[in-house]
Amino acid sequence: MSAPAVTEKKEKISVPFDYNKYLRPNKLPHIWCPGCGHGIVLKAMLRAIHNAGLDQDKVCVVSGIGCSSRTPGYVDFNTLHTLHGRALSFATGIKFAKPDMKVIVVTGDGDALAIGGNHFIHTCRRNIDLTVLVFTNATYGMTGGQYSPTTPIGSQATTSRYGSIEPPFDACEMAKAAGATFVARGTAYHTLELEKTILEAINHKGTSVVDIIDACPTYFGRMNKYKSATHMMEVIEKDGTVNVKQADKLPPEKVQGKALRGVLHKVERPEYCEQYESLIMEKAKGK
Amino acid sequence: MSEAAVKKLPRIVINEKFCKGCSICIDFCPTDVLELKGNCVAVKNLEACTRCQLCDLRCPDFAIQVFD
């Protein structure tokens, strides 16, 4: 009888992750469309928070307006759903008033880079200890699929019926140039890698920006002739990106035109709240 | 007693209220265990399940879990 072999194999299996601990079950199911990548990213975020060992009451999730910004409604932390593009301003206030709080900002590409573009660059410049998760789905899903600052050239949207002619923003390059001390990119397809990236971003002291590529099958997908949510994930997220560690080893033609995944930039620089505190203490001693 | 009878099957729990029928779990399942029934996913061939949990990992709707 071959039963013992099966039993041995079974022990390697872990029990599924219990998301209910971090969710508000009465708010579910969420409003996101079938196949929307935001749910996958939310799961990776919850696992990363769990692995970071953070106390639920010491975490604050802040968001602006948009599909991705619905996240705080579903998670059981201190949460704040704020103005369009101004999530980072509110988050800065929270962090400044309560430096012990772990503040995670969940924002969309339009929210962070277009409407809140100015707040984004100045948050990066200050290097205040926030974890910024930018859900990049290249569309304004909630208002009907208009093109966003990350929509690739030639892609159709409600407001670009003949294809977008605007060059897209690279959120990572922008964050790096503005002075963020941790810049990374992940995708909903590479969900375990994303979990590790978010964990590293949470543990980093300073502004950490994670650009997360996910799919909007309802607007971007339908208008650009993707067959399904899985097809979008495979074309945009799997084939359209390459890990930064592998990029050096691959021939240049395989890296050309692809977005780099993984930790792209990590430096140490004095954090804003700490600097402020030390300045105040120094001046208080002087008198 | 045959091997199949001894083998313990996993338990796939599907929350029908949460499932939106996006078929991501069906496409990522390496052994073709799941199928779409109407607007909700259903188990087609439980014996083929290898407990890889790829369906759970990429379900955007918190709708599917695999218990051992």
Side-chain angles (χ1 to χ4, degrees):
Chain A
M1 217 164 87
S2 61
V6 177
T7 333
E8 266 172 44
K9 221 177 174 181
K10 241 174 25 184
E11 303 205 333
K12 288 180 192 164
I13 309 297
S14 58
V15 285
F17 185 85
D18 184 20
Y19 296 99
N20 286 334
K21 189 185 166 194
Y22 299 101
L23 291 171
R24 294 174 178 154
N26 56 338
K27 299 284 179 194
L28 292 169
H30 53 60
I31 60 147
W32 296 320
C33 305
C36 175
H38 290 352
I40 309 173
V41 180
L42 170 60
K43 283 170 109 169
M45 183 185 103
L46 295 179
R47 290 196 303 269
I49 293 173
H50 177 81
N51 292 344
L54 299 172
D55 179 4
Q56 264 168 281
D57 293 331
K58 288 277 176 199
V59 176
C60 186
V61 181
V62 189
S63 76
I65 297 293
C67 289
S68 58
S69 299
R70 298 294 296 227
T71 302
Y74 307 122
V75 291
D76 191 12
F77 302 106
N78 299 294
T79 56
L80 199 61
H81 193 178
T82 70
L83 307 176
H84 204 356
R86 274 68 189 165
L88 287 163
S89 321
F90 283 82
T92 303
I94 295 164
K95 187 70 193 175
F96 213 29
K98 285 191 174 292
D100 294 340
M101 190 78 85
K102 191 81 212 164
V103 185
I104 299 171
V105 181
V106 179
T107 172
D109 55 331
D111 194 47
L113 306 174
I115 295 101
N118 232 329
H119 300 291
F120 183 77
I121 56 174
H122 289 287
T123 308
C124 295
R125 177 175 66 87
R126 281 187 200 115
N127 193 33
I128 188 161
D129 187 18
L130 301 176
T131 306
V132 187
L133 308 180
V134 186
F135 291 33
T136 305
N137 57 4
T139 200
Y140 285 97
M142 195 165 268
T143 49
Q146 291 82 3
Y147 69 86
S148 85
T150 54
T151 305
I153 294 179
S155 303
Q156 286 207 17
T158 328
T159 43
S160 63
R161 299 307 297 180
Y162 301 109
S164 173
I165 51 166
E166 296 181 15
F169 258 145
D170 184 330
C172 290
E173 288 297 324
M174 191 170 156
K176 200 170 140 184
T181 48
F182 181 97
V183 180
R185 184 179 279 120
T187 76
Y189 181 90
H190 306 89
T191 176
L192 292 174
E193 187 189 280
L194 175 66
E195 181 190 327
K196 285 180 198 154
T197 310
I198 297 176
L199 178 62
E200 209 175 325
I202 288 172
N203 289 332
H204 179 80
K205 188 93 184 160
T207 305
S208 25
V209 178
V210 187
D211 177 31
I212 303 162
I213 302 173
D214 62 0
C216 173
T218 303
Y219 289 111
F220 193 86
R222 273 204 297 223
M223 276 186 242
N224 292 289
K225 308 276 186 279
Y226 289 98
K227 288 175 208 149
S228 65
T230 321
H231 184 226
M232 278 191 95
M233 285 173 84
E234 279 171 351
V235 174
I236 300 173
E237 297 164 24
K238 185 185 167 199
D239 300 337
T241 61
V242 61
N243 194 302
V244 70
K245 286 178 190 161
Q246 294 167 348
D248 301 336
K249 295 169 199 158
L250 289 169
E253 66 270 16
K254 288 201 171 177
V255 185
Q256 188 78 36
K258 293 186 179 180
L260 293 176
R261 280 193 334 264
V263 181
L264 307 176
H265 177 68
K266 192 178 180 180
V267 288
E268 293 296 326
R269 198 152 65 80
E271 198 265 329
Y272 187 70
C273 294
E274 280 180 358
Q275 268 190 307
Y276 185 80
E277 173 126 17
S278 64
L279 178 70
I280 293 295
M281 295 313 279
E282 194 187 309
K283 293 295 167 194
K285 266 184 213 162
K287 281 192 178 173
Chain B
M1 204 175 184
S2 71
E3 197 183 316
V6 175
K7 192 178 158 189
K8 197 192 163 207
L9 293 173
R11 192 160 57 91
I12 300 177
V13 179
I14 295 163
N15 188 336
E16 291 174 9
K17 283 183 186 163
F18 287 6
C19 180
K20 292 170 185 160
C22 68
S23 52
I24 286 180
C25 56
I26 300 168
D27 296 339
F28 278 105
C29 180
T31 51
D32 203 15
V33 172
L34 303 160
E35 65 174 343
L36 202 61
K37 262 192 187 162
N39 209 17
C40 181
V41 71
V43 179
K44 179 173 68 179
N45 182 14
L46 187 61
E47 283 182 17
C49 180
T50 59
R51 303 168 169 90
C52 68
Q53 301 186 339
L54 283 178
C55 50
D56 176 14
L57 198 64
R58 295 213 180 84
C59 171
D61 296 294
F62 303 93
I64 189 164
Q65 282 194 309
V66 183
F67 291 88
D68 200 21

